[in-house]
Amino acid sequence: MTETAPRELVCDRIGKTFRSQKRDILALEDVSFRVRPSEFLAIVGPSGCGKSTLLKIIAGLIAPSSGKLIFPEPETTRREDARPAPRSAMVFQEHGLFPWMTVLDNVTFGMEMRGIGKPEREERAHAFLGQFGIDAFAHNFPHELSVGMRQRCALARAFLTDPQILLMDEPFSALDAQSKLVLQVELLRIWKDHRKTVIYITHDIDEAVLLADRVLVMSGRPGHIRQEISVPLDRPRDLRDREQPRVREITWHIWQAIESDVRKSLQLPA
Amino acid sequence: MAHLASDRERRPQELAAPGITPAPHRRIFSIVPGPRIWVPLLLVTLLLLVWEWAVNVRLLAPVLFSPPTVIAQTIAVSFADGSLTLNLGVTLLRVFGGLLVGGGLGVLIGMLMGWSRTVRDNTDPWIAAAHAIPKVAILPLFIFFLGIGEEPKIALAALVAFFPMLINTMAGVGQINPIHMQVAQNYGAGLPQLFTRVIFPGSLPLILSGLRIAFNATFVVVIAVEMVSGATGLGVILWRSWETLQVELLWSSLVLCGIIGIVFNLVLILAARILVPWQVRHQV
Ligand SMILES: Nc1ncnc2c1ncn2[C@@H]1O[C@H](COP(=O)(O)OP(=O)(O)OP(=O)(O)O)[C@@H](O)[C@H]1O
Ligand SMILES: [Mg+2]
């Protein structure tokens, strides 16, 4: 490595073209940004602008067509775990849990892949599930749980894996409005204790502002970053913070940045 | 505003949706009872009565048909003197030998084909061709290479078990949600873990239904092989009783085949409850 090891995650002019027989789709072009350690970054943007693609590139699930991704140097491992923490752990919108594993096996999967022994990973899991109110369901299968509980399990799995960066792709968008609010508060609470670096994708501007330190607004065709808005709001936060005039203003600002894109995607005049 | 408890102080226990109970205790051994059993039982009894009556009044020629009471008697006697037990055992051994070897290979290759597009594209035509070849027709070839012992029979049974297991396993891998593969990869699973923790358990429901098809196909072929080239087995009994027109023995063997089919099906249903408890419908 030529430069000094970065402490930040760096996305440097990332581009992605999907090639198919019929035509090529330019999904991302020149996407550059940095994420500081322990930062909560939200990404909003109209449907199809390439948010999920970007997240999958960061997760290492698909390769970028151009540009590069620099991960921060891993901290020296705190524990004598068999293998180092993975770079990222992703939380999907839905169906991310393995249906054939119990809640316990699901949430310990990341630790299992790291070679952490069964007694230790189950001990850690029980502690975490207890805080999360799902310990009683450790031996249930995902189909026996409500959507909200499943998403809490998915969050628990990601946090327990203890990756360098947590990636969340609309984790609460399949929930009803009230459960969503409660889970947002829960996420804030857990995050406060762990201070993980998070990249959080959402369509919900209120959610982005409530959770994030900084919001990136993406725009489509091809996907690029249109604007960056920081949310200088004290932590810990709670739902009442949404009523602050400052927050209202930021939300309105983000909406203005997005509105024309959304109209375009709906074929409405701007 | 002291009465407004801060959101962040609240714990989420109450989030558990009503009606969802932490119930790790699953009922597994409860196949037999239940009101649904009575209608089929009644139908079977009715059929047996009509059958008995039809043979007695010679509506069905007694040279070709035995009445159920005689069949039941014959089965009981042949079990008692051991003649049927031995032959049944030999047949089942060949069937399960074939299932183990051929079915096992079918699952392994099926998982590879389901997982990799390249493997699938390059092997599918071969599989399609080999599947269409009537297996009994190549029995002489097997006998020529493997002798006249158990080997050619088990090899043929394995060949028959192979295809349904392979095809079902491949379909099973195909219906795994791609998200699960991505999750495994993202959480650091290597190839061996991908196969043991995702691809195999994910395709298990369809593997089990493949087993049902494979068992029946293998059973039929083993009987056929025994009829043409065996010294022992259910097929030999069937063939000899045709030759000597021992109808009661003939019908006893056929009924026994049916019973074996039912028993194996029940075993599979039980296996599904134990192995795929996460499947809401235990349909094999
Ligand atoms: N595997 C793929 N092959 C071809 N095109 C793809 C593929 N994945 C995504 N695309 C295309 O890339 C673009 C971006 O898709 P992506 O899923 O990243 O959008 P998104 O911002 O996550 O949308 P949404 O908000 O609806 O989730 C879309 O035009 C989509 O059709
Ligand atoms: Mg998306």
PDB file of all heavy atoms in Angstrom, chain A residues 46-53 56 93 169-170 201 203, ligand 2:
ATOM      1  N   PRO A  46     -34.352   7.801  -5.492  1.00  0.00           N
ATOM      2  CA  PRO A  46     -35.534   7.191  -6.114  1.00  0.00           C
ATOM      3  C   PRO A  46     -35.290   5.716  -6.434  1.00  0.00           C
ATOM      4  O   PRO A  46     -34.153   5.263  -6.516  1.00  0.00           O
ATOM      5  CB  PRO A  46     -35.732   8.010  -7.387  1.00  0.00           C
ATOM      6  CG  PRO A  46     -34.393   8.580  -7.680  1.00  0.00           C
ATOM      7  CD  PRO A  46     -33.746   8.824  -6.357  1.00  0.00           C
ATOM      8  N   SER A  47     -36.372   5.008  -6.632  1.00  0.00           N
ATOM      9  CA  SER A  47     -36.302   3.587  -6.929  1.00  0.00           C
ATOM     10  C   SER A  47     -35.481   3.354  -8.208  1.00  0.00           C
ATOM     11  O   SER A  47     -35.614   4.079  -9.179  1.00  0.00           O
ATOM     12  CB  SER A  47     -37.717   3.055  -7.121  1.00  0.00           C
ATOM     13  OG  SER A  47     -37.752   1.707  -6.837  1.00  0.00           O
ATOM     14  N   GLY A  48     -34.618   2.378  -8.162  1.00  0.00           N
ATOM     15  CA  GLY A  48     -33.851   2.008  -9.341  1.00  0.00           C
ATOM     16  C   GLY A  48     -32.615   2.854  -9.589  1.00  0.00           C
ATOM     17  O   GLY A  48     -31.990   2.753 -10.640  1.00  0.00           O
ATOM     18  N   CYS A  49     -32.242   3.709  -8.624  1.00  0.00           N
ATOM     19  CA  CYS A  49     -31.094   4.576  -8.866  1.00  0.00           C
ATOM     20  C   CYS A  49     -29.783   3.881  -8.537  1.00  0.00           C
ATOM     21  O   CYS A  49     -28.716   4.464  -8.698  1.00  0.00           O
ATOM     22  CB  CYS A  49     -31.228   5.891  -8.087  1.00  0.00           C
ATOM     23  SG  CYS A  49     -30.947   5.710  -6.331  1.00  0.00           S
ATOM     24  N   GLY A  50     -29.839   2.655  -8.061  1.00  0.00           N
ATOM     25  CA  GLY A  50     -28.599   1.907  -7.869  1.00  0.00           C
ATOM     26  C   GLY A  50     -28.143   1.790  -6.425  1.00  0.00           C
ATOM     27  O   GLY A  50     -26.995   1.424  -6.166  1.00  0.00           O
ATOM     28  N   LYS A  51     -29.029   2.042  -5.476  1.00  0.00           N
ATOM     29  CA  LYS A  51     -28.635   1.972  -4.067  1.00  0.00           C
ATOM     30  C   LYS A  51     -28.246   0.558  -3.657  1.00  0.00           C
ATOM     31  O   LYS A  51     -27.188   0.339  -3.057  1.00  0.00           O
ATOM     32  CB  LYS A  51     -29.799   2.460  -3.175  1.00  0.00           C
ATOM     33  CG  LYS A  51     -30.284   3.863  -3.497  1.00  0.00           C
ATOM     34  CD  LYS A  51     -31.402   4.308  -2.565  1.00  0.00           C
ATOM     35  CE  LYS A  51     -32.678   3.514  -2.691  1.00  0.00           C
ATOM     36  NZ  LYS A  51     -33.370   3.653  -3.984  1.00  0.00           N
ATOM     37  N   SER A  52     -29.104  -0.385  -4.010  1.00  0.00           N
ATOM     38  CA  SER A  52     -28.801  -1.768  -3.630  1.00  0.00           C
ATOM     39  C   SER A  52     -27.545  -2.262  -4.327  1.00  0.00           C
ATOM     40  O   SER A  52     -26.740  -2.993  -3.748  1.00  0.00           O
ATOM     41  CB  SER A  52     -29.968  -2.689  -3.984  1.00  0.00           C
ATOM     42  OG  SER A  52     -31.107  -2.323  -3.255  1.00  0.00           O
ATOM     43  N   THR A  53     -27.383  -1.848  -5.571  1.00  0.00           N
ATOM     44  CA  THR A  53     -26.186  -2.248  -6.316  1.00  0.00           C
ATOM     45  C   THR A  53     -24.934  -1.748  -5.600  1.00  0.00           C
ATOM     46  O   THR A  53     -23.967  -2.493  -5.423  1.00  0.00           O
ATOM     47  CB  THR A  53     -26.259  -1.674  -7.746  1.00  0.00           C
ATOM     48  OG1 THR A  53     -27.472  -2.107  -8.339  1.00  0.00           O
ATOM     49  CG2 THR A  53     -25.080  -2.135  -8.571  1.00  0.00           C
ATOM     50  N   LYS A  56     -24.305  -3.789  -2.504  1.00  0.00           N
ATOM     51  CA  LYS A  56     -23.799  -5.137  -2.810  1.00  0.00           C
ATOM     52  C   LYS A  56     -22.341  -5.087  -3.241  1.00  0.00           C
ATOM     53  O   LYS A  56     -21.582  -6.022  -2.995  1.00  0.00           O
ATOM     54  CB  LYS A  56     -24.648  -5.798  -3.890  1.00  0.00           C
ATOM     55  CG  LYS A  56     -25.952  -6.334  -3.332  1.00  0.00           C
ATOM     56  CD  LYS A  56     -26.774  -7.017  -4.397  1.00  0.00           C
ATOM     57  CE  LYS A  56     -28.122  -7.425  -3.804  1.00  0.00           C
ATOM     58  NZ  LYS A  56     -29.079  -7.789  -4.856  1.00  0.00           N
ATOM     59  N   GLN A  93     -33.789  -6.465   3.202  1.00  0.00           N
ATOM     60  CA  GLN A  93     -35.142  -5.968   3.442  1.00  0.00           C
ATOM     61  C   GLN A  93     -36.035  -7.045   4.053  1.00  0.00           C
ATOM     62  O   GLN A  93     -36.800  -6.792   4.968  1.00  0.00           O
ATOM     63  CB  GLN A  93     -35.714  -5.504   2.096  1.00  0.00           C
ATOM     64  CG  GLN A  93     -37.110  -4.966   2.190  1.00  0.00           C
ATOM     65  CD  GLN A  93     -37.586  -4.483   0.839  1.00  0.00           C
ATOM     66  OE1 GLN A  93     -36.866  -4.511  -0.148  1.00  0.00           O
ATOM     67  NE2 GLN A  93     -38.816  -4.025   0.789  1.00  0.00           N
ATOM     68  N   ASP A 169     -30.017  -2.657   3.883  1.00  0.00           N
ATOM     69  CA  ASP A 169     -30.763  -2.291   2.683  1.00  0.00           C
ATOM     70  C   ASP A 169     -32.252  -2.281   3.008  1.00  0.00           C
ATOM     71  O   ASP A 169     -32.910  -3.310   2.979  1.00  0.00           O
ATOM     72  CB  ASP A 169     -30.456  -3.282   1.554  1.00  0.00           C
ATOM     73  CG  ASP A 169     -30.935  -2.762   0.204  1.00  0.00           C
ATOM     74  OD1 ASP A 169     -31.608  -1.726   0.186  1.00  0.00           O
ATOM     75  OD2 ASP A 169     -30.618  -3.397  -0.817  1.00  0.00           O
ATOM     76  N   GLU A 170     -32.771  -1.132   3.327  1.00  0.00           N
ATOM     77  CA  GLU A 170     -34.183  -0.957   3.676  1.00  0.00           C
ATOM     78  C   GLU A 170     -34.646  -2.012   4.667  1.00  0.00           C
ATOM     79  O   GLU A 170     -35.624  -2.725   4.411  1.00  0.00           O
ATOM     80  CB  GLU A 170     -35.043  -1.028   2.414  1.00  0.00           C
ATOM     81  CG  GLU A 170     -34.620  -0.035   1.352  1.00  0.00           C
ATOM     82  CD  GLU A 170     -35.568  -0.075   0.147  1.00  0.00           C
ATOM     83  OE1 GLU A 170     -36.776  -0.279   0.380  1.00  0.00           O
ATOM     84  OE2 GLU A 170     -35.108   0.112  -0.981  1.00  0.00           O
ATOM     85  N   ILE A 201     -29.591   2.151   3.813  1.00  0.00           N
ATOM     86  CA  ILE A 201     -30.384   2.589   2.667  1.00  0.00           C
ATOM     87  C   ILE A 201     -31.847   2.643   3.037  1.00  0.00           C
ATOM     88  O   ILE A 201     -32.357   1.746   3.705  1.00  0.00           O
ATOM     89  CB  ILE A 201     -30.163   1.626   1.485  1.00  0.00           C
ATOM     90  CG1 ILE A 201     -28.766   1.853   0.913  1.00  0.00           C
ATOM     91  CG2 ILE A 201     -31.212   1.826   0.412  1.00  0.00           C
ATOM     92  CD1 ILE A 201     -28.405   0.921  -0.177  1.00  0.00           C
ATOM     93  N   HIS A 203     -35.951   4.503   1.783  1.00  0.00           N
ATOM     94  CA  HIS A 203     -36.753   5.433   0.991  1.00  0.00           C
ATOM     95  C   HIS A 203     -37.375   6.502   1.892  1.00  0.00           C
ATOM     96  O   HIS A 203     -37.974   7.449   1.423  1.00  0.00           O
ATOM     97  CB  HIS A 203     -37.894   4.678   0.289  1.00  0.00           C
ATOM     98  CG  HIS A 203     -37.452   4.043  -0.974  1.00  0.00           C
ATOM     99  ND1 HIS A 203     -37.483   2.684  -1.171  1.00  0.00           N
ATOM    100  CD2 HIS A 203     -36.934   4.559  -2.096  1.00  0.00           C
ATOM    101  CE1 HIS A 203     -37.026   2.407  -2.372  1.00  0.00           C
ATOM    102  NE2 HIS A 203     -36.678   3.522  -2.956  1.00  0.00           N
TER     103      HIS A 203
HETATM  104 MG    MG C   2     -32.875  -1.682  -3.608  1.00  0.00          MG
END
